[in-house]
Amino acid sequence: MRLRRIATDFGRKIWAIFSFPHMWLCIIIIFIAAITLGCSYYMNKDNSYWASIFGNISTGLITGLIICFISGIKQISRTNLDSHKKWLQKIAQMIKEYMEFYHQLRATNFNSFNNDENLFNFIYETASRANWVNDEILQSSFNKALSFNPRKYCKKRFGYDAYLLSELFGDLHDNVYMIDVYNPSKKEIIDYFSKVNKELNTLNRAVHSAITEIDIRLSRIDRTIV
């Protein structure tokens, strides 16, 4: 299973690299440069004039190859950063939506609901939005369109292990599902959210910091000549 994941990640990176026109152009230039270099070597003894021409062509192609290669690396780096940024922005938006619900929950007077099910629905919706964040991180790991594995990225970059935290989010869901609809304890319900809320707040700060860092790196890439 581990070898399969490694092979999948490797294949994803290779696919991402060869999805750029720069890489195919590099391959074509290498092929032509090899032919002209071979012609130059073959004609060196019998026809130095044409050998020199082919040699100059080969030199020019190699120079172009180097420029193309550098430009390709720049484009790959930029696309990779853009992929990270867009995904992080999605997570940041999901956390923001959860926090808006959570802050509204804390400010809500439970007695104002007159013991109807609207309060339960609101609490359940808030818990669901918390779960959606963790689920998105886990499910995104199967998204082949991404240039990275979000679960591994969050674990390594932020110390946030979505897989291990699944149990914590599951406990929140179970606790909320079992609350007394007609006599809910606000303190008890807020306690249910405490650990999850702490994890998501920490993740939120880390995500926004990562987005800022990516913006800085993208700005540096845009300022380079090649």
Side-chain angles (χ1 to χ4, degrees):
M1 185 64 70
R2 183 179 180 183
L3 290 176
R4 180 180 296 180
R5 288 198 299 269
I6 293 174
T8 300
D9 291 342
F10 180 75
R12 180 185 295 176
K13 291 178 181 179
I14 294 297
W15 179 85
I17 290 173
F18 281 93
S19 64
F20 294 101
H22 293 81
M23 298 310 298
W24 292 104
L25 182 59
C26 283
I27 292 173
I28 294 172
I29 292 175
I30 290 173
F31 181 72
I32 297 175
I35 292 176
T36 54
L37 186 62
C39 290
S40 177
Y41 177 79
Y42 179 77
M43 294 180 176
N44 189 44
K45 293 182 179 179
D46 300 327
N47 195 326
S48 59
Y49 173 76
W50 282 105
S52 176
I53 290 177
F54 279 111
N56 290 334
I57 293 174
S58 178
T59 301
L61 288 172
I62 292 173
T63 302
L65 176 63
I66 293 173
I67 296 173
C68 184
F69 181 73
I70 295 174
S71 179
I73 291 177
K74 173 184 174 181
Q75 185 62 34
I76 290 172
S77 298
R78 195 182 211 298
T79 301
N80 187 48
L81 289 172
D82 280 334
S83 178
H84 280 72
K85 180 180 177 179
K86 289 178 181 178
W87 183 83
L88 288 169
Q89 287 176 327
K90 181 178 181 180
I91 294 297
Q93 180 62 31
M94 293 179 71
I95 296 176
K96 178 184 177 183
E97 292 173 359
Y98 154 74
M99 287 183 172
E100 289 174 351
F101 272 75
Y102 176 75
H103 291 315
Q104 187 176 346
L105 177 65
R106 290 186 64 93
T108 296
N109 178 7
F110 282 17
N111 295 328
S112 66
F113 281 85
N114 297 322
N115 295 330
D116 63 23
E117 293 189 4
N118 288 330
L119 176 59
F120 170 78
N121 293 335
F122 181 68
I123 297 170
Y124 190 83
E125 175 76 6
T126 305
S128 295
R129 288 182 180 276
N131 274 280
W132 292 345
V133 176
N134 202 64
D135 288 342
E136 178 64 26
I137 295 173
L138 291 173
Q139 294 303 318
S140 294
S141 299
F142 300 100
N143 186 354
K144 295 182 179 180
L146 294 174
S147 61
F148 65 104
N149 185 309
R151 185 181 71 83
K152 292 181 179 179
Y153 174 78
C154 287
K155 182 179 179 180
K156 182 178 180 180
R157 184 73 169 72
F158 309 137
Y160 182 96
D161 193 333
Y163 181 76
L164 291 180
L165 289 172
S166 294
E167 183 177 352
L168 181 64
F169 283 88
D171 288 342
L172 171 63
H173 177 273
D174 294 341
N175 288 331
V176 167
Y177 191 77
M178 296 299 292
I179 63 174
D180 183 352
V181 180
Y182 300 106
N183 189 30
S185 168
K186 184 173 182 177
K187 181 180 182 304
E188 183 179 29
I189 291 170
I190 296 301
D191 285 343
Y192 290 157
F193 281 89
S194 61
K195 292 182 179 179
V196 164
N197 191 67
K198 181 180 179 180
E199 292 290 343
L200 291 181
N201 269 288
T202 301
L203 177 63
N204 187 53
R205 289 192 294 270
V207 165
H208 281 284
S209 178
I211 291 173
T212 300
E213 182 181 323
I214 288 174
D215 284 336
I216 293 173
R217 293 175 65 184
L218 286 172
S219 178
R220 289 174 179 171
I221 289 175
D222 290 337
R223 289 199 299 266
T224 58
I225 297 176
V226 181

